[in-house]
Amino acid sequence: YFSGRMYERVLAMETQLMAAAERIDSEERYARAEALRLLGESAHALGDSRRALSWLRRHASMHPDGGELSARYIVGASEYAEGNYSQAAEWMLPVSKEQNALAQSALLYLGQCSAKTRDYSAAAIYFDRAARMEQDKQVAETALYNYAAATARGGNVPFGSATDLLEEFARRYPESPYAPAVEEYLATGYYREHRYADALERIGHIANPSAEVLRLKQRAEYDLGADLLAAGRTTMARGYLQSAADSRADASVSSQACLWLGDCLYKMKDYKGALSAYNRFLSSASKADAQRPLALYNRAYTLFQTGDYAEARAGFEQAVKANLSPGLSADATLRTADCLNFTGNVTQALDTYRRATAMQGATGTDYAVFQTANMLGVLGRNAEKANTLEKLLKERPGSSWCSSALAELAEAQQAMGDFNAARTTIERLRLNYPDSEQLRVASLSMADALADKGKTAEAIEAYERLSRRQGQDSRGNRGL
């Protein structure tokens, strides 16, 4: 009757069945255990859970192996439905060791029990095993989805080992109600592995992305854009950073993307766009944002590049007050001096150049010293200018500013009327930097100064010497 699924007839024979089992039972009481299984599973098939569980539990207590696997499965499923996940797993574990549809379903239950108790690593292992079995396609589909969920929730399984299985799900079950979630889990996994382009590609498969997916997309665009910018691929970086900056998914990510977008556009010499991006960051970011001083500094540099020196100066001063790092603070002070210089504030520029050279973390101090000397010259303090330049040449003989320093030194000496000293300086320039533009400018300046002083013969000789040298250089270039 049981084999023929005539369960009502099995239950109708309860008294006779148990009496017969007791008469023929062995010492292990196996016959009575089997009779209880037949009654329990029949009741289960007819939906009588109360009697089914009573008989099946008694069956398990009498069975030498703790119960037939089919019986254990039914009790385990009942324990799971009641929320008793540890007990359910105990019942299901022996069932899962076979290679049949019942074992596949038991593995699915075991994974769900582990997930309910937040053991996502164990859950992922059970779901993986169930998904790879082919006995029941629907169970495999559900297990594969749950596997993705477990790994996404922190299952300690290398994501790379799950990738093929998850992508297989997307291929095998494109119409599955779980398909969008699997794409999301794939995107999340790729993002965690810093495979931002792959994450974005997966997100592109989701027809109606949730708010969380849109946030993930924005973060992937931001991180990919930042990576591309660091690699020097500014054109590609710009598109991703612009998209992240314009996204409304997460205001904080949008704000940070604006800062990186500004850097990207600055490198592309799109100063108008860079300025707009920096302004967006500064207007949206918190006053306490750790990146704010850097944004102020970068914005000031952008203004500097556009020639708006008055605004740039105010920007550099604001950046210094915003607690820049010592090195950047020194550089901002130096650029402040340049702005003062370019707007004709010579005395303030002189003081600021001097202050920049003495700041902690200062770099490029040879330039600051050179400009200090120039400001002294503009103010007519040529002796101080000459002394400052001589000191620079002595202390920084390898500086890239040495050729310019020699040219300015010769000019200061001319301004003081010491033409012999100026000639000596120009000769130093010729010996050390024979092909420099500074040599030509200094030589011409010397000739002009001699002419202005009425030293006509010496001026003519200087012009002729300069002309001969330029002619030689010209012929030499043609020969090359």
Side-chain angles (χ1 to χ4, degrees):
Y1 289 150
F2 183 83
S3 297
R5 299 185 180 182
M6 292 178 279
Y7 303 121
E8 293 90 346
R9 292 195 176 188
V10 174
L11 295 182
M13 294 180 63
E14 175 189 359
T15 302
Q16 301 98 303
L17 178 62
M18 292 304 300
E22 193 164 337
R23 285 197 302 273
I24 64 173
D25 206 354
S26 66
E27 187 175 303
E28 290 81 8
R29 298 177 295 178
Y30 184 78
R32 279 190 294 167
E34 178 63 5
L36 289 167
R37 183 186 74 83
L38 294 176
L39 291 168
E41 292 191 20
S42 296
H44 172 74
L46 294 172
D48 188 349
S49 298
R50 183 184 61 79
R51 286 205 296 168
L53 292 173
S54 174
W55 278 321
L56 292 175
R57 288 180 187 278
R58 289 170 61 196
H59 157 77
S61 68
M62 294 180 179
H63 196 282
D65 296 325
E68 290 287 348
L69 297 182
S70 57
R72 294 187 67 90
Y73 177 88
I74 293 170
V75 178
S78 174
E79 292 284 12
Y80 180 85
E82 293 293 324
N84 303 320
Y85 305 120
S86 296
Q87 294 91 322
E90 290 179 13
W91 285 101
M92 288 290 183
L93 192 59
V95 187
S96 69
K97 296 178 181 180
E98 301 297 315
Q99 287 294 320
N100 52 37
L102 195 65
Q104 185 183 20
S105 184
L107 285 167
L108 180 59
Y109 268 112
L110 285 167
Q112 291 168 330
C113 289
S114 296
K116 291 291 187 180
T117 56
R118 300 183 184 276
D119 187 351
Y120 296 115
S121 296
I125 292 171
Y126 288 129
F127 290 137
D128 181 25
R129 289 174 56 194
R132 294 181 189 278
M133 295 176 71
E134 299 181 354
Q135 283 81 2
D136 188 321
K137 301 297 183 184
Q138 188 172 358
V139 170
E141 178 182 344
T142 304
L144 188 54
Y145 167 74
N146 284 327
Y147 177 82
T151 55
R153 288 184 170 89
N156 189 23
V157 177
F159 180 71
S161 67
T163 304
D164 292 343
L165 195 59
L166 294 171
E167 290 184 341
E168 180 186 349
F169 181 98
R171 290 191 299 270
R172 287 168 56 186
Y173 310 112
E175 303 302 322
S176 169
Y178 300 132
V182 168
E183 295 288 3
E184 181 177 343
Y185 290 134
L186 268 171
T188 301
Y190 284 136
Y191 178 81
R192 287 176 177 171
E193 289 191 334
H194 310 294
R195 296 168 60 181
Y196 306 124
D198 290 332
L200 290 170
E201 192 268 335
R202 281 294 164 187
I203 291 172
H205 294 172
I206 302 174
N208 297 299
S210 65
E212 182 58 34
V213 171
L214 291 176
R215 283 192 289 271
L216 177 64
K217 178 184 178 184
Q218 183 188 29
R219 291 196 301 272
E221 289 173 334
Y222 167 62
D223 288 328
L224 180 56
D227 283 355
L228 289 168
L229 181 59
R233 301 169 67 182
T234 52
T235 302
M236 290 186 66
R238 177 181 183 174
Y240 290 111
L241 291 170
Q242 186 73 63
S243 182
D246 293 342
S247 173
R248 297 182 179 180
D250 188 322
S252 63
V253 176
S254 176
S255 178
Q256 293 300 315
C258 285
L259 179 59
W260 283 81
L261 178 61
D263 292 350
C264 181
L265 295 171
Y266 182 92
K267 289 184 177 181
M268 298 176 73
K269 301 188 186 304
D270 181 358
Y271 300 123
K272 181 179 179 181
L275 188 60
S276 174
Y278 289 135
N279 284 336
R280 281 182 63 188
F281 170 80
L282 290 167
S283 64
S284 61
S286 163
K287 298 292 184 184
D289 193 298
Q291 298 298 320
R292 185 175 180 81
L294 181 61
L296 290 168
Y297 173 80
N298 290 345
R299 176 180 178 276
Y301 250 108
T302 307
L303 289 164
F304 186 84
Q305 293 290 357
T306 64
D308 191 347
Y309 299 120
E311 285 294 321
R313 171 194 168 186
F316 283 123
E317 290 175 341
Q318 186 181 7
V320 170
K321 292 177 182 177
N323 197 26
L324 270 178
S325 66
L328 293 183
S329 184
D331 184 71
T333 302
L334 186 57
R335 295 287 84 83
T336 299
D338 283 339
C339 292
L340 289 165
N341 178 16
F342 298 157
T343 53
N345 296 302
V346 179
T347 302
Q348 283 184 272
L350 172 61
D351 293 340
T352 308
Y353 280 126
R354 281 176 166 167
R355 182 155 49 87
T357 62
M359 291 182 70
Q360 178 187 359
T363 57
T365 52
D366 49 349
Y367 169 75
V369 173
F370 174 74
Q371 288 293 69
T372 297
N374 284 338
M375 296 303 98
L376 289 168
V378 173
L379 294 171
R381 296 157 62 178
N382 287 296
E384 292 179 71
K385 175 181 178 179
N387 288 336
T388 302
L389 291 170
E390 288 283 17
K391 184 177 180 181
L392 172 62
L393 291 164
K394 180 180 179 180
E395 295 180 353
R396 312 281 178 85
S399 171
S400 60
W401 292 96
C402 283
S403 59
S404 297
L406 284 168
E408 289 294 330
L409 176 59
E411 187 168 320
Q413 290 165 338
Q414 294 161 28
M416 291 186 293
D418 192 347
F419 292 101
N420 288 332
R423 289 191 188 95
T424 300
T425 299
I426 291 173
E427 183 63 17
R428 288 169 63 189
L429 186 56
R430 186 186 68 79
L431 290 172
N432 291 293
Y433 307 97
D435 300 321
S436 66
E437 175 66 14
Q438 287 85 353
L439 174 59
R440 189 191 69 79
V441 172
S443 299
L444 182 59
S445 177
M446 178 68 170
D448 289 344
L450 289 168
D452 290 342
K453 294 293 184 180
K455 298 177 181 289
T456 306
E458 292 180 68
I460 291 172
E461 182 183 353
Y463 284 128
E464 288 177 343
R465 186 165 52 249
L466 178 59
S467 179
R468 286 195 298 272
R469 185 179 300 120
Q470 288 179 322
Q472 291 168 356
D473 290 344
S474 177
R475 286 193 295 276
N477 289 337
R478 283 200 298 273
L480 290 173

